[in-house]
Amino acid sequence: NEYKSYLSMEQCLSQLVGAARVMNLPPSQVTPEQRKAAETLLLKFKQSEKPYQICTYILENTEDAYLYFVACSTIKEALMREWNLLTDHDKDGMRDYLLNFANSHQYLSGYVLRQMLHVVALIVKRATLTKDNNYLKSFVDNICTLLTSPTTIGLGLELSSSLLAEFTVADKTLSPYMSYQHNLDCKRAMEESPLFKIFLKIFELLSDIRSKPSSIKSDRNHWLKIMTILHSILSWDFSVILSKRLAQISNLSMPVVNLRPPSRWSILKEQQVIGILAELYTMFEVDRDLQHVARLCIVQIGTLQGSIFHDQTDRVSFLARYLATISKLISRAVSRDSRDEHHGLSLAVRQLLWSYTSQDINHLNAELWNEFIRALTEMTIKVLQYSTSDDELSDTGSTQDIVDVLLDSWFNLVGQADDLISNVILDQCMLRVVECYVQCHMAPPLGIRNDENDMEEIDVDTEEDDRIKFRDQLHIIGSIARRNLAMTLPLYSKLLLQRTALIRERAESQEESSPLFEDIHWLVLLIGYTISDSWSEGQASIPSQVTDFLGQTHDTVNIDAVQHFIRNNLGKCTEFNGNVLLASIFSLFELSAVYQDLLSKGACHFLSPQIYSSLMWVLARLAASYLMPQEHKYTYIPPSIILVFGEDSLVGQWLIEFFVEKVISGLVFFVGEVTVAEDCLLLLQSLSKNAKIAAILMQNGNFSKLLEQFTNGVLNLPSTPCKRLFGSSLITIMSHLPTAEHDAFLDKVFGNIRSTTISRLQPPQVSKIPESPALSGQVLTALDTFHGVATGLVTKVVESVFNMILPVLEGCVELVKVSQYMSPITQTVFQLFCCISDSVILHIDKQQTHQLYDICYKLLKCYSENSHRPGILTVEVGVEDAKYDHMLLCLELLSHLCSKDFLNFDMPDEYDDSTSRIVLIGLDILVPHIDINLLKFPKLSNEFFKLITFICEVYPEKVATLPDNVVDQILNMLQVGLNNYNDDITFFIFNAISALSVYSASSQPFQRKLGQLIKHTLKLISQQELSAELYDPASDMVFSFICKCQEEYVNVVNEIVSEQTDATVRECLRTAFSALIPNSMNITRRDKSQFSKIFENFAINVYGVCR
């Protein structure tokens, strides 16, 4: 309320001082009740109406910084909330008052001054479009005047910073008080001339510092603020954003915003700007913070693009000046060994190479470009050498972060290298980078890797971490290495053969070999990433650089020499002479052969499982890309590859035998090593995906023995992923067979495990499974295998596999009946059902679909009944997590069943509503088990509300005719979602309500129930800030409800208005809601688009005035 008397304001100040004192005391000196009471008082004060007089009284009658901040925040909230109720005189008066107060109180704390000037900037921004065109320009002129005087420059800098932050709209989000278009128009008004005026004044101040180097330390904060403002200006996004959605995409597309100023900013491309920045960068070396901001400014200048350049000559001239400057700075940083400088300059280089193309580079002076490449090479080598030491964090991040940025730059250069007129120096420097990377991962004396902590790190887990952690680095190094295969592949082969020979020697003498294993591990990874492209979902390929290299060298292969080498030299650590690609591949085979020999001699305890795992990983890549390649996928394959690895080659057929032997050895000798087993089975999976290889596999003796072990139940696989991988590989092999042979294959391979599992899942035997660890382990193994079978399904085998697994699924229901509610068995069963339903639902006929629905219904019903069995739940650690896992699987199962109607484009003319019935029944079964605490898990809540939204959108007519208790349950859950969860959930719910509104016209009772939900939603919109992503779905929801439920909408509005006690608020709400009623009641795209603009203004006006 407005405070009228001096006494009431004094009393209010006294209460606020007490509350502020409580808030500033440490927790040990106040009780929770006291702190809560203080928070409540301050919150009520911030929400009070027209608090301007009491706020100014606080500012003038206290020296408490925290209360200053509270007063400024309260003024800001009230101004934005009551903007439309204030006169221009009130707004301008508050702006001038705050400015004068800040100018006359030099002792204000930094955070108080920033908040106060932020309020001033907000007032200026909101008034910009309602005043004349000179309003903003005049205000910026006043700022420039402040920056001229030594006594007011501090205030001018803080005001400039606040104004830029408010006008930039860098985050592309909507203000709760201003529309996106308003924000964008204000930003454009700032760009017309005010921004350039601020830049010129700031740059003038920076030019003065060169004559006052001694002031850097004494006026450090002053210069830091100036540099920060300059960086804000150089980071300004001048691009024209046409829509909110494009704005959001633009904000995520690039880590640095390209500088695209209009032509009047031509000073930016002159040597004067980059020269002063480089000079300041050198001068600021005495202060890391100042130098850091200077580096950021240099990075931004390097992104200069757009209409500021008249033509390509102008653009290239600027690029030449920038390259000359950046090359000198890089050379200086290398000589100084400064990691912080390396990080900043690496960012500048990366952004530069993203901003300029080979067409620009080709117009540069060749020596200038070569100088830059040499400087970049030296910095890269220096940083790589740093990375071998203990990777301590600096202010700018770890050394590996710098390595990643630099390698990104090199990757960009690899992509442009073929388009450059002169790339000889570039290729030479790339080779140096690769050699240095290899050296950094090799142990002394040949390498410089730090091995002090290697004894703790050499295990399979570390290998897995390396493969994931350094995946991007290895991919880039592989791409760089392919620029000079004639040098890199022989280097890898030579180093690997030398270390393979040392393994044999040290195994015989039992010497410590951990550093040696680490060397081999990295060499195997480097070869794998060089000779094959990145592996995406198991699809490796031969890189075009490899095929081009072999084609350009006209390399031929003597197949007799290859076969002779394999028969007589493999395992003797001798180098294959001739084709460098084959030499590198055979070096991997040499390592495999030596490992195989040592394993057969009982040296498994000496050998590293990590190496075997890495080896299986790279052999899987080779099998997927080189072995019997599918020629139609390539424009050109060198004859040497076809000759050695083609389907008619004896070497190719020998390799299949060789690979299978390695798979079996890994499973036999490294028992219990999960990662080794998984990589062995990934190799088997790679072999199974090629139809030609699969046909040979079926005739292979070793593979037949492996199948025999599996069918007899004696194949020991150490983990669930391994069992699923093996099942997936088997069914993939079957998919290559003629359809007539599918049933025979299933009976031969899975017949025994299927019949055994079915018999165990029948009553009364099934009741013994939960009580027997051995039996439950065997059943879980079978279920995991069938899970793997489901993941490997393709359309042609779905029918046969579904008929085979169907009795197993029926038995699983019996298994759940006798299992504990939260047992691992129940989870495995649900995982199997989810995978099966996801894989087959779109490919089975109507009868099979009904069979699947029936089994899923029985499973869900059984699971629900289990939860009510007496004593079924015990208080154990992890029960809540287990319940979360099970509920998530149940929801995923229903979502997969939904896809039958949503994605099946071959549905018969007669619509079958069985999908909607099973999903709605399933949801009815599950909802009682899903409480508020369980929905706190983000993934579960997302899946739950996504499913409800799907049902409402696809089956709205079904939802509208459900029994009252079920409808109430669904609508209550939607309301719970609106109250408690994030924007993603709210997005789903708005779409659900919109869909229900369209189909509610036929049912008056349903309209009334939906109207109450709409009422709750509209009240939320008037009380909470609506994010930019939610405006469109919220608009569609309200528009659909108004068009289809006009009478109920009027009732809802009347209820909302009547609940307000203030007459002004009631009138404001009535006016706002009346303005929402569209001229056209047709739900068309055009009408929705027009309504969205009206709704955006409605949400802003209601939130700002009627909160």
Side-chain angles (χ1 to χ4, degrees):
N1 297 320
E2 184 70 76
Y3 292 89
K4 301 296 184 182
S5 67
Y6 180 87
L7 182 61
S8 64
M9 287 191 288
E10 189 177 71
Q11 290 173 341
C12 181
L13 176 59
S14 176
Q15 292 179 4
L16 291 173
V17 168
R21 186 181 298 112
V22 171
M23 295 298 295
N24 289 324
L25 287 174
S28 59
Q29 297 182 21
V30 293
T31 65
E33 292 76 15
Q34 289 174 321
R35 187 174 294 276
K36 184 176 181 180
E39 290 174 349
T40 303
L41 177 64
L42 292 172
L43 181 60
K44 286 183 178 179
F45 175 68
K46 289 185 68 174
Q47 294 177 343
S48 59
E49 297 178 17
K50 299 181 180 179
Y52 314 110
Q53 187 177 355
I54 181 61
C55 287
T56 56
Y57 179 82
I58 292 171
L59 291 174
E60 293 168 0
N61 291 275
T62 184
E63 294 185 357
D64 189 312
Y66 181 73
L67 275 184
Y68 279 165
F69 183 82
V70 170
C72 292
S73 301
T74 303
I75 291 173
K76 183 187 77 169
E77 291 286 333
L79 276 171
M80 296 301 101
R81 192 171 59 242
E82 302 168 0
W83 184 264
N84 294 331
L85 304 178
L86 299 175
T87 65
D88 289 347
H89 177 75
D90 294 333
K91 301 167 188 173
D92 293 342
M94 183 55 66
R95 181 200 65 193
D96 295 339
Y97 173 82
L98 292 175
L99 274 176
N100 292 331
F101 187 90
N103 190 34
S104 60
H105 293 73
Q106 301 292 331
Y107 58 83
L108 288 176
S109 300
Y111 74 98
V112 175
L113 179 61
R114 284 190 291 273
Q115 183 71 351
M116 189 173 291
L117 297 181
H118 176 56
V119 178
V120 173
L122 271 171
I123 295 173
V124 172
K125 181 176 180 179
R126 289 211 66 171
T128 294
L129 299 183
T130 58
K131 302 276 188 175
D132 58 66
N133 295 334
N134 294 322
Y135 176 77
L136 181 59
K137 296 177 183 178
S138 175
F139 189 80
V140 169
D141 288 339
N142 293 335
I143 292 178
C144 293
T145 302
L146 292 174
L147 293 173
T148 305
S149 171
T151 58
T152 58
I153 188 172
L155 178 63
L157 291 173
E158 289 291 352
L159 190 53
S160 299
S161 181
S162 297
L163 200 67
L164 291 174
E166 186 58 38
F167 274 80
T168 185
V169 202
D171 57 357
K172 308 293 191 300
T173 59
L174 287 175
S175 163
Y177 306 104
M178 286 179 281
S179 67
Y180 177 81
Q181 190 61 45
H182 189 128
N183 277 292
L184 190 57
D185 290 341
C186 289
K187 175 174 173 287
R188 287 170 176 165
M190 173 64 82
E191 292 170 1
E192 287 183 3
S193 65
L195 184 65
F196 188 58
K197 287 183 180 179
I198 297 176
F199 167 75
L200 291 177
K201 193 62 184 177
I202 291 297
F203 202 74
E204 180 184 331
L205 294 174
L206 281 176
S207 301
D208 294 341
I209 195 177
R210 293 182 299 170
S211 60
K212 308 173 187 176
S214 60
S215 68
I216 294 176
K217 290 185 177 180
S218 59
D219 295 331
R220 179 215 181 244
N221 293 335
H222 172 81
W223 295 118
L224 184 59
K225 176 60 69 174
I226 292 176
M227 290 301 299
T228 303
I229 293 173
L230 177 63
H231 178 249
S232 298
I233 296 173
L234 295 179
S235 302
W236 190 278
D237 186 2
F238 286 89
S239 59
V240 178
I241 305 299
L242 300 179
S243 70
K244 288 176 283 187
R245 187 174 299 277
L246 287 177
Q248 295 155 13
I249 296 172
S250 172
N251 194 42
L252 298 174
S253 60
M254 292 287 284
V256 179
V257 176
N258 283 336
L259 183 58
R260 295 177 175 271
S263 57
R264 76 166 67 96
W265 290 69
S266 58
I267 186 176
L268 288 177
K269 62 185 178 181
E270 303 301 329
Q271 178 62 36
Q272 175 189 2
V273 174
I274 185 62
I276 290 178
L277 286 177
E279 187 177 348
L280 291 174
Y281 177 77
T282 305
M283 292 174 60
F284 288 156
E285 64 185 19
V286 296
D287 189 292
R288 294 175 67 180
D289 292 337
L290 278 170
Q291 192 174 47
H292 173 67
V293 181
R295 276 197 301 269
L296 294 179
C297 292
I298 292 174
V299 171
Q300 282 301 129
I301 283 291
T303 67
L304 191 60
Q305 291 185 11
S307 60
I308 192 171
F309 297 118
H310 303 306
D311 50 32
Q312 188 177 37
T313 302
D314 197 19
R315 178 182 170 92
V316 171
S317 298
F318 169 77
L319 177 59
R321 290 191 290 271
Y322 188 83
L323 275 182
T325 302
I326 205 73
S327 298
K328 293 177 182 177
L329 293 177
I330 291 174
S331 300
R332 182 175 177 275
V334 171
S335 64
R336 285 166 45 83
D337 284 352
S338 171
R339 298 193 189 191
D340 289 344
E341 290 190 52
H342 290 151
H343 186 266
L345 294 173
S346 65
L347 290 172
V349 170
R350 181 175 68 177
Q351 194 62 32
L352 177 75
L353 294 174
W354 278 346
S355 302
Y356 293 88
T357 66
S358 56
Q359 294 180 350
D360 301 315
I361 296 172
N362 284 332
H363 286 83
L364 289 171
N365 177 274
E367 186 54 39
L368 174 63
W369 173 248
N370 292 338
E371 180 186 351
F372 166 72
I373 291 299
R374 292 189 189 100
L376 177 60
T377 304
E378 296 300 328
M379 181 167 67
T380 305
I381 291 173
K382 180 70 72 174
V383 172
L384 285 172
Q385 291 170 348
Y386 283 151
S387 68
T388 62
S389 59
D390 292 337
D391 197 13
E392 298 179 356
L393 289 176
S394 67
D395 289 347
T396 55
S398 69
T399 307
Q400 287 299 338
D401 293 335
I402 310 176
V403 172
D404 291 339
V405 173
L406 286 169
L407 290 181
D408 280 347
S409 300
W410 284 105
F411 188 62
N412 186 294
L413 287 170
V414 168
Q416 300 190 62
D418 289 334
D419 297 326
L420 298 177
I421 296 175
S422 175
N423 54 23
V424 176
I425 298 297
L426 179 61
D427 285 341
Q428 293 174 357
C429 291
M430 285 183 176
L431 180 60
R432 288 187 62 197
V433 170
V434 173
E435 290 173 341
C436 181
Y437 192 87
V438 174
Q439 185 185 38
C440 291
H441 289 89
M442 297 293 105
L446 296 179
I448 58 173
R449 189 183 70 238
N450 183 1
D451 278 333
E452 291 181 2
N453 300 317
D454 272 0
M455 290 302 295
E456 299 177 4
E457 299 177 356
I458 297 296
D459 57 24
V460 176
D461 290 337
T462 300
E463 188 278 331
E464 185 71 20
D465 289 342
D466 285 346
R467 203 188 300 169
I468 296 172
K469 181 178 179 180
F470 298 103
R471 177 176 52 203
D472 293 339
Q473 286 188 14
L474 288 164
H475 171 64
I476 294 172
I477 291 296
S479 300
I480 298 173
R482 289 196 288 270
R483 291 288 306 172
N484 202 332
L485 289 170
M487 300 296 293
T488 54
L489 288 182
L491 172 65
Y492 296 157
S493 305
K494 179 181 178 181
L495 291 174
L496 184 57
L497 287 174
Q498 289 174 350
R499 281 149 180 77
T500 302
L502 285 173
I503 281 186
R504 186 186 291 278
E505 295 175 7
R506 294 187 181 182
E508 295 173 356
S509 60
Q510 298 294 305
E511 292 182 44
E512 168 60 36
S513 301
S514 294
L516 183 61
F517 288 140
E518 185 73 1
D519 285 2
I520 293 176
H521 159 64
W522 278 99
L523 286 169
V524 168
L525 294 180
L526 286 166
I527 292 176
Y529 273 96
T530 301
I531 64 177
S532 65
D533 266 340
S534 293
W535 213 0
S536 175
E537 299 178 358
Q539 299 299 320
S541 61
I542 306 173
S544 59
Q545 297 94 327
V546 172
T547 57
D548 292 344
F549 168 75
L550 295 177
Q552 291 167 3
T553 56
H554 303 291
D555 209 354
T556 58
V557 172
N558 186 330
I559 192 63
D560 294 330
V562 172
Q563 294 175 1
H564 179 271
F565 181 86
I566 291 174
R567 285 194 303 267
N568 300 304
N569 295 336
L570 202 60
K572 297 180 180 179
C573 300
T574 55
E575 187 174 359
F576 178 79
N577 295 320
N579 187 302
V580 294
L581 173 66
L582 292 181
S584 64
I585 293 175
F586 286 170
S587 68
L588 296 171
F589 296 164
E590 288 281 353
L591 176 61
S592 303
V594 168
Y595 245 75
Q596 182 72 35
D597 183 47
L598 293 175
L599 288 173
S600 62
K601 292 179 180 178
C604 182
H605 64 283
F606 169 80
L607 299 174
S608 167
Q610 179 193 35
I611 300 301
Y612 204 86
S613 183
S614 299
L615 193 55
M616 293 301 100
W617 169 82
V618 74
L619 292 183
R621 293 176 73 102
L622 286 175
S625 52
Y626 287 86
L627 185 57
M628 299 185 183
Q630 301 178 46
E631 298 182 40
H632 66 276
K633 293 185 176 181
Y634 300 92
T635 55
Y636 170 74
I637 295 185
S640 55
I641 292 179
I642 300 299
L643 189 62
V644 176
F645 300 108
E647 58 181 302
D648 298 326
S649 168
L650 293 177
V651 175
Q653 298 178 23
W654 170 84
L655 275 177
I656 297 174
E657 172 74 26
F658 182 78
F659 288 159
V660 173
E661 185 181 54
K662 299 300 166 285
V663 169
I664 295 174
S665 295
L667 296 176
V668 171
F669 289 106
F670 292 101
V671 178
E673 294 287 348
V674 175
T675 306
V676 173
E678 289 179 3
D679 282 317
C680 287
L681 292 171
L682 282 172
L683 170 56
L684 181 62
Q685 191 177 62
S686 293
L687 295 171
S688 70
K689 290 182 177 181
N690 188 312
K692 301 170 186 175
I693 299 175
I696 298 174
L697 269 180
M698 293 299 296
Q699 308 300 322
N700 183 272
N702 284 330
F703 183 71
S704 298
K705 292 178 182 178
L706 191 65
L707 278 184
E708 186 177 350
Q709 291 179 14
F710 169 73
T711 56
N712 293 332
V714 296
L715 180 63
N716 182 24
L717 298 176
S719 70
T720 294
C722 290
K723 298 164 189 173
R724 294 176 180 177
L725 274 172
F726 191 73
S728 175
S729 300
L730 294 180
I731 211 67
T732 303
I733 291 173
M734 170 185 149
S735 67
H736 300 304
L737 300 175
T739 304
E741 300 179 18
H742 288 174
D743 291 338
F745 180 90
L746 290 174
D747 185 61
K748 174 184 175 182
V749 176
F750 297 102
N752 185 37
I753 186 174
R754 175 180 178 270
S755 59
T756 302
T757 303
I758 292 173
S759 64
R760 286 172 175 167
L761 295 178
Q762 299 303 314
Q765 291 89 341
V766 68
S767 60
K768 300 177 183 178
I769 294 175
E771 301 170 359
S772 171
L775 270 179
S776 61
Q778 292 170 5
V779 170
L780 288 176
T781 295
L783 297 183
D784 284 329
T785 302
F786 288 125
H787 185 122
V789 167
T791 60
L793 286 179
V794 294
T795 304
K796 63 183 292 188
V797 302
V798 165
E799 183 177 355
S800 300
V801 172
F802 180 76
N803 291 332
M804 177 194 73
I805 295 182
L806 188 60
V808 177
L809 299 180
E810 293 172 343
C812 286
V813 176
E814 298 297 325
L815 180 60
V816 170
K817 285 182 181 179
V818 299
S819 300
Q820 292 185 1
Y821 179 49
M822 296 296 177
S823 68
I825 291 178
T826 304
Q827 182 166 348
T828 301
V829 169
F830 272 103
Q831 288 174 345
L832 174 61
F833 269 73
C834 280
C835 187
I836 289 288
S837 60
D838 185 35
S839 300
V840 309
I841 192 67
L842 298 180
H843 308 288
I844 53 180
D845 59 29
K846 184 175 181 179
Q847 180 182 355
Q848 291 173 321
T849 301
H850 287 172
Q851 290 175 323
L852 180 61
Y853 288 167
D854 183 57
I855 296 174
C856 290
Y857 167 71
K858 291 178 181 177
L859 177 68
L860 293 173
K861 186 177 179 182
C862 174
Y863 177 75
S864 177
E865 291 172 351
N866 258 9
S867 66
H868 299 299
R869 280 165 49 191
I872 198 67
L873 283 178
T874 56
V875 180
E876 299 177 1
V877 176
V879 166
E880 190 73 15
D881 290 341
K883 187 176 180 182
Y884 155 75
D885 291 333
H886 292 175
M887 280 296 129
L888 184 60
L889 288 169
C890 291
L891 294 172
E892 288 178 357
L893 175 60
L894 292 178
S895 296
H896 295 326
L897 298 181
C898 279
S899 62
K900 182 69 174 179
D901 282 354
F902 189 64
L903 296 174
N904 188 6
F905 301 109
D906 298 323
M907 291 175 62
D909 295 335
E910 236 179 73
Y911 177 69
D912 182 6
D913 66 348
S914 57
T915 302
S916 62
R917 284 191 288 107
I918 181 60
V919 174
L920 288 170
I921 291 171
L923 196 60
D924 185 42
I925 292 173
L926 294 179
V927 164
H929 302 280
I930 300 177
D931 54 28
I932 298 297
N933 290 330
L934 203 57
L935 286 175
K936 290 179 181 178
F937 291 94
K939 189 173 181 180
L940 179 64
S941 62
N942 187 73
E943 192 70 30
F944 176 70
F945 287 106
K946 184 168 63 175
L947 178 61
I948 288 185
T949 301
F950 180 87
I951 291 171
C952 293
E953 289 184 328
V954 179
Y955 316 117
E957 72 286 352
K958 295 289 183 182
V959 175
T961 57
L962 286 172
D964 288 346
N965 64 320
V966 180
V967 171
D968 292 342
Q969 209 169 33
I970 291 177
L971 296 182
N972 286 338
M973 293 308 298
L974 292 176
Q975 183 168 328
V976 168
L978 287 172
N979 292 338
N980 296 281
Y981 302 107
N982 57 32
D983 284 354
D984 291 337
I985 302 301
T986 306
F987 180 87
F988 289 138
I989 294 173
F990 283 170
N991 287 333
I993 298 174
S994 180
L996 292 176
S997 298
V998 175
Y999 282 88
S1000 65
S1002 59
S1003 173
Q1004 196 70 25
F1006 184 76
Q1007 270 194 27
R1008 285 195 292 270
K1009 292 181 179 181
L1010 188 62
Q1012 293 305 304
L1013 183 58
I1014 288 285
K1015 173 185 173 182
H1016 178 77
T1017 306
L1018 289 173
K1019 291 174 71 174
L1020 283 180
I1021 290 173
S1022 69
Q1023 295 167 0
Q1024 298 178 8
E1025 179 180 347
L1026 201 63
S1027 65
E1029 294 80 4
L1030 294 178
Y1031 268 79
D1032 286 342
S1035 172
D1036 290 347
M1037 173 192 65
V1038 176
F1039 182 67
S1040 300
F1041 186 75
I1042 294 175
C1043 291
K1044 295 298 181 179
C1045 312
Q1046 299 173 34
E1047 184 177 342
E1048 187 61 30
Y1049 172 74
V1050 174
N1051 293 335
V1052 167
V1053 170
N1054 289 335
E1055 289 179 17
I1056 294 176
V1057 171
S1058 64
E1059 292 174 359
Q1060 306 300 318
T1061 57
D1062 189 297
T1064 305
V1065 173
R1066 285 200 301 269
E1067 185 60 31
C1068 174
L1069 280 173
R1070 196 180 302 279
T1071 303
F1073 281 119
S1074 298
L1076 268 183
I1077 300 178
N1079 296 325
S1080 171
M1081 293 293 182
N1082 298 319
I1083 303 180
T1084 64
R1085 185 172 182 178
R1086 180 181 178 183
D1087 291 333
K1088 281 185 177 182
S1089 177
Q1090 292 176 349
F1091 181 81
S1092 66
K1093 299 175 183 177
I1094 301 173
F1095 177 80
E1096 186 174 337
N1097 291 327
F1098 161 82
I1100 291 170
N1101 292 334
V1102 170
Y1103 182 79
V1105 179
C1106 308
R1107 193 166 55 149

